[in-house]
Amino acid sequence: MSTRGFRVGTNVWRLRSAIPRLLLGLGLLLGLQAAPCAAFYLPGLAPVNFCEADRETASCKSSIAIFVNRLDSVESVLSYEYNIFDFCQDSEKKSPSENLGQVLFGERITSSPYKFSFNKTETCIKVCVKSYDTANEDQEKKLAFLKKGIRLNYQHHWIIDNMPVIWCRDMEDGQKYCTPGFPIGCFITESGISKDACIINSEFNKNNTFYLFNHVDITLTYHRESETNVGIARLVTARLDPKSYKHSDENHLTCDGPPMEIPGEYTDKLNVTYTYSVKFEENKNVKWASRWDYILESMSHTNIQWFSIMNSLVIVLFLSGMVAMVILRTLHRDIIRYNQMSSSEEAQDDFGWKLVHGDVFRPPRCPMLLSVFLGQGTQVLIMTFITLFLACLGFLSASKRGALMTCAVVLWVLLGTPAGYVSAKMYKTFKGVNWKTNFLLTALLCPGIVVIDLFTMNIILWVERSSSAISFGTLISILAMWFGISVPLTFFGAYFGSKKKQFGSPVHINQIPRHIPRRAFFTKPLFGVVIGGVLPFGCIFIQLFFILNSIWSHQIYFMFGFLFLVFIILLITCSEATVLLCYFHLCAEDYHWWWRAFLTSSFTAVYFFMYAVYYFFTKLQITGITSTILYFGYTMIMVLIFFLFTGTIGFFSCFWFVTKIYSVLKVD
């Protein structure tokens, strides 16, 4: 199969159906947009037509505007709005509406002063001039902040016609490396070490010097959609190449000469002129529906993805073989033998999982907490499945910024009912009577932990003036959604769950607990729990690398087809590993399986956290105590979510397995 053949999450963007509009209508009715939305956009549904200025009509426009997003860095978790840096500002400052996901991710898109006309080549056009005088305290602070941004390698993120503008450069191995962002500048250390982008130009060679990229060469490629209407075109690629020029005369710009230097210890006046050049090229091969493919040129991860899938399938086949052997051979033989016993004396001489039939459904310790975890885990599991399924179909593509997070939050809010229902019914099965307390803990415990963590992180972001800081109004909106929608829905689910009949036990529960015999080391609970999380983690660790890259290294994640397949494999692996270990423990006459079933698969979250620690120290360049706290603060939220839904998968798989095997026994 070819690379593009499997790219489900990319190619299905071309769907032209009414479903996205219905989903948008539901979102608007629920008030989920952070601001009024003027139009709905999905790739393949709303192309923008361009034409030359002398042919401009109502159906096509000639003006092209660049929008700018937040600036971020691989060396810092903190992101900043474009307007905080002393770059050229747009006098009108138009900002498109932001959805909930964009607000939570800290995206701040605004207009820029970079504007030009379609198919009109321009060279070395002045945008603005910025002056710095160290005698002026305000200008000195702006220059110091600009130097800090260069030192930490902060990246611009520009947008043209809803496409990220990418920067491509040739690597030493002959391959081309492209990234949806370009640096503010680069820095040569006092010892003469070239940092980051300084290696691209031999003129960047002075020690303790900052080089500012104050010029961009923009190349836009367009496609004529119709030969009959030759004036209409659509943009299909947007690239740029950042340059550094010291413009000596702002009235006679040539965009040539020495680079724009900012000495590390600057004590004089400094003028910076920002310029741009733009050219247009026609491409007859790339159509508008496939225009995002150019962003994937440098992301040659498909072979690694197939290796990940094959690795996961091997683990699944191994576990499936083990489970089949247990169920079809050992377990089936045991059930036939137990049911053919003619006397109680024969049964007393036997051993194994059948002997604990009178205790296996005895309520566990801490039934309240376990039922709360199961309710929340069900909520997160359904939310994750639906979100990934929609992303796989292309409805949550990268071009619809913030759609993935918005969809996840909306689904979590609306899925309070199954959370309350599962929690209340399991609590009733555990012989619990305080269903109101159960409802409150289900609605408040785990979400409360997440909200407290987010609020703590948000205080740090407020202090640092980061664009990722959530405004007070947005926090109030999130709390209103939680208490106004999720909590009432959880109450309704808990109410009906407490009224429903509990899950029945296929065997009678003894009055006196059975003594558990001395266990070998490999049958002890801790050993089983630790081992149980290894195989599920082995299925996901490669995908986990790309997910962490997209979050912390600001890469575009597009392989939702692979991700959804790995998610299904994870469900199967967690189920089979938990069932297998549960059977072994029952054979050792250990009937305390409730919590063990949950913790066996949820221990994968511990390996998740360990991998996140490894990733932080070996793959990231993050520096500073603030960024470190933010990294691990957000990581703990992901670990908690992973802990809940993997544990829920293992528990209900084991619950079904135990109920099934004891229901076929003929017990007196």
Side-chain angles (χ1 to χ4, degrees), residues 365-382:
R365 300 187 182 118
C366 304
M368 178 77 76
L369 184 61
L370 180 57
S371 61
V372 168
F373 282 170
L374 292 173
Q376 282 292 316
T378 302
Q379 186 177 12
V380 173
L381 177 61
I382 300 174

Side-chain angles (χ1 to χ4, degrees), residues 371-372 374-379 415-424 442 490 493-494:
S371 61
V372 168
L374 292 173
Q376 282 292 316
T378 302
Q379 186 177 12
L415 290 171
T417 301
Y421 181 86
V422 170
S423 179
T442 303
T490 305

Side-chain angles (χ1 to χ4, degrees), residues 73 75-76 78 80 85 140-154 184-185 187 196 210 262 463-465 623 626-627:
S73 169
E75 299 183 27
S76 176
L78 300 171
Y80 293 101
F85 289 90
E140 185 180 11
K141 288 182 179 179
K142 291 180 178 179
L143 183 60
F145 192 72
L146 184 61
K147 289 181 179 179
K148 178 183 176 181
I150 296 175
R151 184 182 291 108
L152 294 177
N153 194 28
Y154 270 84
I184 296 175
F187 176 59
D196 304 312
F210 297 86
I262 306 178
V463 173
E464 297 291 339
R465 298 188 305 159
T623 58
T626 300
S627 294

Side-chain angles (χ1 to χ4, degrees), residues 20 78 119 140 144 159 180 183 203 281 409 437 459 534 582 621:
L78 300 171
N119 215 11
E140 185 180 11
I159 302 168
E203 295 186 24
E281 298 176 352
V409 173
T437 305
I459 292 176
V534 172
C582 180
Q621 308 170 29

Side-chain angles (χ1 to χ4, degrees), residues 386-418:
I386 297 177
T387 302
L388 291 181
F389 182 72
L390 292 176
C392 184
L393 293 180
F395 294 121
L396 307 178
S397 62
S399 66
K400 185 61 179 175
R401 294 172 179 82
L404 189 71
M405 177 61 74
T406 302
C407 179
V409 173
V410 171
L411 288 173
W412 180 85
V413 170
L414 298 179
L415 290 171
T417 301

Side-chain angles (χ1 to χ4, degrees), residues 269-286:
K269 294 182 180 180
L270 179 71
N271 291 326
V272 178
T273 303
Y274 289 90
T275 57
Y276 74 90
S277 299
V278 61
K279 65 179 180 179
F280 291 81
E281 298 176 352
E282 183 176 2
N283 190 322
K284 297 182 179 180
N285 298 321
V286 180

Side-chain angles (χ1 to χ4, degrees), residues 186 188 194 197-198 200-206 211 213 244 259:
C186 63
I188 304 292
S194 298
C198 278
I200 65 175
N201 192 335
S202 59
E203 295 186 24
F204 300 161
N205 51 25
K206 291 186 179 180
Y211 291 93
F213 291 133
S244 179

